[in-house]
Amino acid sequence: MTDRHISATGPAPADCQVELADMPVEFTAFCEMNRPRYLSYARVWFREPGEAAEVVRCALHALARVWPQVLGSPNAPAAAWEVLRETVAERHSLTDPAGRRPGQADEDLAILHYVVGLATPEIADVVGGDTAGIATRLRHGLRPTD
């Protein structure tokens, strides 16, 4: 089991100010690799592209504040994904308190696969899971309930 609950110590501040230019090269590479996928996920929850981009920016700033803990965790991609999910859920609840709420792991997998268009190995890279487990969860999600 992985530690998927590294908190960014509360929500990112409204201005999301952390100097990302001073972050280690590993963080920069992580952001470059994951920002497009994170943005595609956020666009599902925020109709305005600018709003989705701002949420991802805030999530990456929140991630920067806990980067050493993320790297020290048993599963850094899973810990980073949790920071993104927390940021998306919090910001979405502020803009649409009566609407859909992000937060179900299997729903996230379905969104990443069927809406964003990621293959299971890419989803595994983003959420910190194993490809076979994600494929199984996606297959089970398609089964009708009795």
Side-chain angles (χ1 to χ4, degrees):
M1 183 152 227
T2 60
D3 180 7
R4 296 193 63 192
H5 300 287
I6 293 178
S7 175
T9 61
D15 60 355
C16 302
Q17 293 300 318
V18 172
E19 188 53 54
L20 296 182
D22 296 333
M23 293 300 295
V25 69
E26 297 87 5
F27 180 79
T28 303
F30 181 88
C31 289
E32 290 300 315
M33 183 175 72
N34 288 293
R35 182 180 286 123
R37 296 164 173 169
Y38 285 6
L39 186 55
S40 293
Y41 173 79
R43 284 184 179 147
V44 171
W45 299 106
F46 301 93
R47 298 291 180 223
E48 293 293 324
E51 189 175 8
E54 176 64 14
V55 169
V56 170
R57 187 177 76 80
C58 286
L60 293 176
H61 283 265
L63 182 60
R65 290 195 310 271
V66 295
W67 187 245
Q69 294 95 324
V70 167
L71 286 181
S73 73
N75 188 334
W81 178 252
E82 189 63 26
V83 171
L84 173 73
R85 290 178 71 221
E86 288 174 4
T87 305
V88 167
E90 180 186 321
R91 293 291 289 266
H92 190 266
S93 69
L94 295 175
T95 60
D96 188 12
R100 298 176 303 153
R101 178 129 170 99
Q104 298 296 323
D106 286 342
E107 181 181 25
D108 285 345
L109 297 180
I111 288 169
L112 290 171
H113 186 65
Y114 298 109
V115 180
V116 175
L118 298 182
T120 52
E122 292 175 290
I123 295 170
D125 289 343
V126 172
V127 303
D130 67 279
T131 303
I134 289 170
T136 299
R137 288 170 66 188
L138 286 169
R139 275 194 310 273
H140 285 281
L142 293 175
R143 291 186 181 167
T145 57
D146 294 338

